[in-house]
Amino acid sequence: MTERWSVVKESEVMSYAGTQAQTLPAANVTYVVGPSATLVILQAGDRPDGNAVQNGDVLTLHEPFPEAAEARLTGSDLPLLGFVRVSEGYVPLGELRHVVSHRGPLYVPDGSQWPFPGKSGLSFCKLSIADSLPFDVLDQVRPTLQHPLPSLDWLRFLPHDPIAGLRDFVAGWYADIPTGDDELRDPDRPLPEPLLAFYRAAAGRREVFGLHNRIHTADELEDEDDGLVEFGSENQGVFGMLLDPTEADPTVQYSGLHVEQEREPLSAFLLQFLLCEASYSSPFCGFATVTADQARRLVEQLHQVPLRPLRWPGDPTRHYVAPGLVVATATYDDASVEVYAGSRHRSALRPLRAPGFAWDQFGG
């Protein structure tokens, strides 16, 4: 391990804050407010929704915050230093910098009149780590549990039966999310079987319909003047996804996109849509812009999904998978490649810790 992240003793940690510093404990974190510096001392552990180091560049803090620590986290001129308590002592994270914070609703005592004397407290704070942590240090301060990962059995259906592949992919990838009340109810209108199969597989789970781009639910479908139906849309409404409801497995058409239609029919496109969402909307993600050769070396250890490439976000966009992991590579006219990687289990991202590959963002 690099010397700058070597474990130090408690006395050395506390010396940074100065004499007569206040020690303020909270959930899995201790704030030390002193005349020389403010210290944020975290307990080691992987807590995606709690107080913890989240990746090599970021740590997050949640309410409740001791009042004396609030101003120090968001606006003090004194140094803000991070440490993680491990069994051997304390791992120094170095200097921390405020990125963003949120405050809760204003609390107004009963009977108060305007101007309200109430006060809103800090509810969330995101801090960046000035010098990114190497992966061996990250594993020490944020040890990641291994979980059983979804299998790749769904690949056996491709390319001949993408609907069966879609059904198996959803069942494995979203196994931790309870199904909704509309699990078995079909819409009261004629629709192609691939879209009905998607609805059945989604079973009311909002995440399956997309957290970035969206497939419309049955009551959100929009009828166009030319007889087509808009069944999905880009997250900012830049383009819509259209189908002919009279066809068994229709061509996916676009409105507002630089191309008119997709390569694969609806049955395979819906699976590709799910893979795109998995790659950039999952709880644990990575993103990088790289050369074609760098992208090729990154995915050579993965299984390529045997479907013709999508036309967005870049043309071509291809998908590669491993157990519990989806990677999308989007190639652009300037030969650059955007790489998106996603998983519902942080440990599944570990194979992407490739030597010499610089991720712009990486949650593994």
Side-chain angles (χ1 to χ4, degrees), residues 237-251:
V238 172
F239 66 85
M241 310 168 203
L242 310 173
L243 59 79
D244 184 340
T246 66
E247 295 182 8
D249 192 7
T251 298

Side-chain angles (χ1 to χ4, degrees), residues 18 81 90 186 203 225 233 239:
L81 305 175
Y90 297 79
D186 281 347
D225 293 338
S233 60
F239 66 85

Side-chain angles (χ1 to χ4, degrees), residues 289-299 356-358:
T289 301
V290 298
T291 66
D293 184 60
Q294 288 174 313
R296 178 189 57 77
R297 286 187 280 113
L298 183 74
V299 302
F357 192 95

Side-chain angles (χ1 to χ4, degrees), residues 21-347:
Q22 286 183 277
T23 300
L24 308 168
N28 296 304
V29 61
T30 298
Y31 302 99
V32 181
V33 177
S36 301
T38 304
L39 313 182
V40 178
I41 304 174
L42 293 158
Q43 293 282 1
D46 185 15
R47 294 178 289 274
D49 299 317
N51 297 325
V53 173
Q54 300 301 335
N55 56 50
D57 299 297
V58 167
L59 63 86
T60 56
L61 302 169
H62 298 259
E63 62 184 343
F65 290 89
E67 186 174 353
E70 285 196 17
R72 292 291 190 94
L73 293 173
T74 59
S76 174
D77 292 331
L78 292 174
L80 182 61
L81 305 175
F83 298 87
V84 176
R85 185 183 291 112
V86 297
S87 58
E88 304 90 344
Y90 297 79
V91 177
L93 303 179
E95 184 179 354
L96 305 177
R97 297 169 183 165
H98 176 259
V99 177
V100 66
S101 54
H102 305 296
R103 292 190 172 273
L106 180 68
Y107 169 72
V108 181
D110 293 340
S112 298
Q113 296 181 348
W114 179 264
F116 295 135
K119 182 178 180 181
S120 61
L122 194 66
S123 61
F124 171 80
C125 185
K126 180 178 179 180
L127 303 175
S128 67
I129 302 169
D131 296 311
S132 298
L133 304 179
F135 284 128
D136 61 339
V137 176
L138 182 60
D139 287 341
Q140 185 181 23
V141 301
R142 194 211 59 195
T144 302
L145 296 176
Q146 298 292 322
H147 295 278
L149 299 175
S151 76
L152 298 180
D153 288 349
W154 56 273
L155 274 177
R156 73 184 189 276
F157 294 108
L158 303 182
H160 61 281
D161 191 354
I163 291 299
L166 179 154
R167 185 170 54 245
D168 276 19
F169 174 80
V170 171
W173 191 266
Y174 296 102
D176 59 317
I177 301 178
T179 58
D181 295 335
D182 54 348
E183 180 176 356
L184 300 176
R185 183 169 56 85
D186 281 347
D188 297 327
R189 60 182 296 169
L191 291 172
E193 178 57 30
L195 187 57
L196 295 175
F198 179 93
Y199 289 158
R200 296 184 197 114
R205 289 169 288 193
R206 180 178 64 90
E207 292 83 354
V208 183
F209 287 88
L211 300 178
H212 184 70
N213 298 330
R214 286 273 298 167
I215 297 297
H216 298 330
T217 58
D219 58 349
E220 296 171 334
L221 297 173
E222 298 183 14
D223 294 303
E224 304 292 311
D225 293 338
D226 56 4
L228 299 179
V229 171
E230 183 182 285
F231 69 95
S233 60
E234 190 265 350
N235 69 92
Q236 295 179 318
V238 172
F239 66 85
M241 310 168 203
L242 310 173
L243 59 79
D244 184 340
T246 66
E247 295 182 8
D249 192 7
T251 298
V252 174
Q253 303 179 51
Y254 292 114
S255 62
L257 195 61
H258 61 283
V259 295
E260 294 183 357
Q261 63 185 43
E262 266 303 341
R263 296 180 175 92
E264 292 286 359
L266 180 65
S267 56
F269 170 84
L270 289 170
L271 175 56
Q272 291 176 309
F273 172 88
L274 289 169
L275 295 173
C276 273
E277 284 295 309
S279 71
Y280 46 64
S281 296
S282 291
F284 306 107
C285 289
F287 171 77
T289 301
V290 298
T291 66
D293 184 60
Q294 288 174 313
R296 178 189 57 77
R297 286 187 280 113
L298 183 74
V299 302
E300 62 186 5
Q301 61 183 318
L302 308 177
H303 300 274
Q304 183 172 351
V305 176
L307 296 172
R308 289 175 291 178
L310 270 177
R311 297 192 184 275
W312 53 262
D315 190 4
T317 290
R318 296 182 171 88
H319 296 102
Y320 303 83
V321 294
L325 173 67
V326 177
V327 174
T329 61
T331 303
Y332 292 88
D333 291 341
D334 62 358
S336 67
V337 181
E338 290 184 348
V339 179
Y340 303 85
S343 179
R344 299 188 66 80
H345 306 275
R346 197 193 298 272
S347 60

